[in-house]
Amino acid sequence: MAWSTREIAELAGVSLRAVRHYHEVGLLAEPERRANGYKQYGVAHLLRLLRIKRLTGLGFPLGRIGAMDDADDHPEEELRALDAELAATVERLQQARAELGVILHRSLPAGQSPEFAGAAHADVSEADRSLFAVMTRVLGPGPRRAWAEVMRQQPTVVDKEFDVLPADADEGTRQDLAERMLPHVREAYAEHPDLRTPNAGAPRGEAFAMETMGRAFRDLYSPAQLDVLQRLNALLTADSRNVRP
């Protein structure tokens, strides 16, 4: 029994292009040709195509299929390795679906990490959302979790005042705001000690985290807001807590 290229493709359930590609990459041996020059495929070619189709359907890349021994009808080691890879892929996809669900349910911006989902309520400023996104990339696990917990709380009155602080706010207004923010910051640090060492455990080092967060603050907040934060830091230092907002 001999089949043409089109016939063998139809029997195996693959495309003509796939058959030609398998020849090109050495996965399928070239068949003999008839006197008229047309290829004639046999049962061995069909079995080989069926094997390739089955393995690619399971997720094996062509390169790994080529490295397998055709005589091994049950390549257990390769199958177990693929099973582990598929399990990891399933876990990753499940995590992606869970995060997507949070994004859809809470109407999060697509770039917002679900870790800070609680900070996505309408009262959070765009600057704060952007800062949280930077935090997820440079802070260590402890400080990141601490900030996430803080940001899940509803903003206070002074938080909202800080968000809308005019760029030309006078010195007295800025000092008053810093002093009224102080008790809330003290409370947050008492509940979340990891806030005291915001750069600890940073994946790319504390110096990189400090530099990146400093740049984010400068880019996202006005000079008046930055001045309030500096005044707040001075008050905390004077308060003998030696912590940073």
Side-chain angles (χ1 to χ4, degrees), residues 5 8-9 14-30 39 41 48-49 52 56 60-63 65-66:
T5 305
I8 196 76
V14 300
S15 66
L16 282 170
R17 183 177 180 181
V19 174
R20 297 187 182 109
H21 182 62
Y22 298 155
H23 283 315
E24 290 173 1
V25 298
L27 278 179
L28 184 65
E30 290 283 352
K39 295 177 180 177
Y41 293 87
R48 176 62 174 168
L49 277 175
I52 294 170
T56 55
F60 279 103
L62 295 181
I65 294 174

Side-chain angles (χ1 to χ4, degrees), residues 99-175:
E99 293 186 5
L100 181 60
V102 172
I103 291 172
L104 291 172
H105 179 68
R106 296 179 179 270
S107 299
L108 283 172
Q112 179 72 57
S113 170
E115 186 175 12
F116 288 90
H121 43 71
D123 291 334
V124 174
S125 69
E126 184 61 33
D128 284 348
R129 287 195 183 96
S130 299
L131 181 65
F132 305 154
V134 175
M135 286 179 175
T136 64
R137 307 310 303 167
V138 300
L139 297 188
R144 200 166 60 238
R145 284 192 297 269
W147 273 109
E149 289 298 325
V150 170
M151 298 312 163
R152 289 190 181 100
Q153 302 170 5
Q154 289 290 331
T156 64
V157 172
V158 290
D159 290 331
K160 295 178 181 179
E161 289 183 34
F162 177 82
D163 291 339
V164 298
L165 183 70
D168 60 352
D170 60 39
E171 184 172 344
T173 299
R174 287 178 275 169
Q175 181 65 25

Side-chain angles (χ1 to χ4, degrees), residues 4-5 12 21 63 72 77 151 155 187 227 231 240:
S4 68
T5 305
H21 182 62
D72 186 0
E77 183 176 347
M151 298 312 163
E187 183 180 351
D227 182 64
R231 291 170 184 269
S240 301

